[in-house]
Amino acid sequence: LLLPPPPAEPPKKATPCKRCRELVDKFNQGMVDTAKKNFGGGNTAWEEKSLSKYESSEVRLLEITEGLCGSSDFECHSLLEEHEGHLEAWWLRLKKDFPDLFEWFCVKTLKVCCSPGTYGPDCLACQGGSQRPCSGNGHCSGDGSRQGDGSCQCHLGYQGATCSDCTDGYFSSLRNETHSVCTACDGSCKTCTGPSNKDCGQCAEGWAQEDGACVDVDECAAETPPCGDQQYCENVNGSFACEECDSTCVGCTGKGPGHCKECVPGYTKESGQCADIDECARPEKACTRQNENCYNTPGSFVCVCPEGFEDTEDACVQTQAPGGEVAEGDPTRQPSREDL
């Protein structure tokens, strides 16, 4: 039965900060798109005079705002309609004093966002400070929004309240008052103080201390083999893998018919590997009934009566054709799929 597809998850509603940021991004792009619009290639002095008027004109503001929202973007249109007066005031009177529209509009005026490096209703500094939240090694929860708790989600290899400490498998390659850098240990180390296998504090699983360094343990050389009877062991760095023996083997030491310990029935060792025995080519007959043909198969053989002969318990007996004549058969014919 065809099951109905699972219901699609509703898209996450954009936060007020995200909507405000998107509107500002579109406004800034509109400023780029309208810069020096309709000018170029004429009277330079006249253009410069006219351009200076157009640059901060209501005509340009109208061109920018008309392109801010898509025809079906209801939330964008609603936000623009509600705060168009603020954008107009910034454009005509406040732009020079507050050149960062996002900071003035979303952070200071609407108070739906925070400045980078701060979070929450009161825009407090993130863990590690607003200049380098989480020591630059993680993400501050709520960074730039009025949400979150300011805690750090650390990048891979870092831990601690401000992501300044290294996790197992990493070592501190740089640490000063402002920066902390953690670098991955050698793969043989669980803990380390440097980049090589001689700098391990503890060896990783599958590795062991030898002559002051962590070296790979060959699990395949263990007194009790780690793999099954019909498998062979392949050592890999820090671990091992069990692979299936060739189908012609009874136990094996490696891949292919050349690594069999013994051969399955129907096969024998030839030139160091298990090869099929041709039972039909042996001096003693494999098929003992009279007129019977022998055909070799991988690991075995089949006995088939030729065309024009029928099976009996003791022999292949030639069949009678219509009119009482014995049908001619070919004892050497190849068997059909039905025979086999």
Side-chain angles (χ1 to χ4, degrees), residues 135-190:
S135 308
N137 301 323
H139 174 72
C140 165
S141 171
D143 191 353
S145 75
R146 299 274 168 163
Q147 300 177 324
D149 60 7
S151 62
C152 292
Q153 286 88 48
C154 301
H155 298 326
L156 184 67
Y158 296 89
Q159 64 181 357
T162 59
C163 303
S164 57
D165 300 323
C166 301
T167 61
D168 280 357
Y170 290 78
F171 69 96
S172 179
S173 55
L174 173 65
R175 192 180 184 93
N176 55 34
E177 292 181 359
T178 57
H179 289 74
S180 176
V181 178
C182 295
T183 302
C185 298
D186 184 82
S188 63
C189 304
K190 181 179 180 181

Side-chain angles (χ1 to χ4, degrees), residues 65-232:
T65 54
E66 282 181 344
L68 286 182
C69 303
S71 58
S72 60
D73 194 341
F74 172 77
E75 288 190 346
C76 179
H77 282 289
S78 177
L79 185 64
L80 179 60
E81 184 179 344
E82 185 178 357
H83 300 294
E84 197 166 4
H86 284 120
L87 292 173
E88 185 177 347
W90 177 81
W91 178 262
L92 298 175
R93 301 189 304 275
L94 303 171
K95 184 166 56 170
K96 289 185 178 179
D97 293 330
F98 303 98
D100 188 337
L101 177 58
F102 171 78
E103 184 75 16
W104 179 84
F105 184 57
C106 300
V107 179
K108 304 295 184 185
T109 304
L110 302 190
K111 297 183 178 179
V112 292
C113 297
C114 290
S115 301
T118 63
Y119 75 96
D122 300 317
C123 294
L124 302 175
C126 290
Q127 289 282 352
S130 59
Q131 296 302 308
R132 293 190 78 248
C134 306
S135 308
N137 301 323
H139 174 72
C140 165
S141 171
D143 191 353
S145 75
R146 299 274 168 163
Q147 300 177 324
D149 60 7
S151 62
C152 292
Q153 286 88 48
C154 301
H155 298 326
L156 184 67
Y158 296 89
Q159 64 181 357
T162 59
C163 303
S164 57
D165 300 323
C166 301
T167 61
D168 280 357
Y170 290 78
F171 69 96
S172 179
S173 55
L174 173 65
R175 192 180 184 93
N176 55 34
E177 292 181 359
T178 57
H179 289 74
S180 176
V181 178
C182 295
T183 302
C185 298
D186 184 82
S188 63
C189 304
K190 181 179 180 181
T191 61
C192 69
T193 56
S196 79
N197 68 335
K198 294 184 178 180
D199 299 315
C200 301
Q202 289 179 273
C203 295
E205 187 176 353
W207 304 79
Q209 281 277 356
E210 189 176 302
D211 297 329
C214 286
V215 296
D216 175 49
V217 174
D218 185 357
E219 294 86 355
C220 299
E223 187 174 340
T224 302
C227 299
D229 292 340
Q230 280 300 103
Q231 296 176 319
Y232 64 94

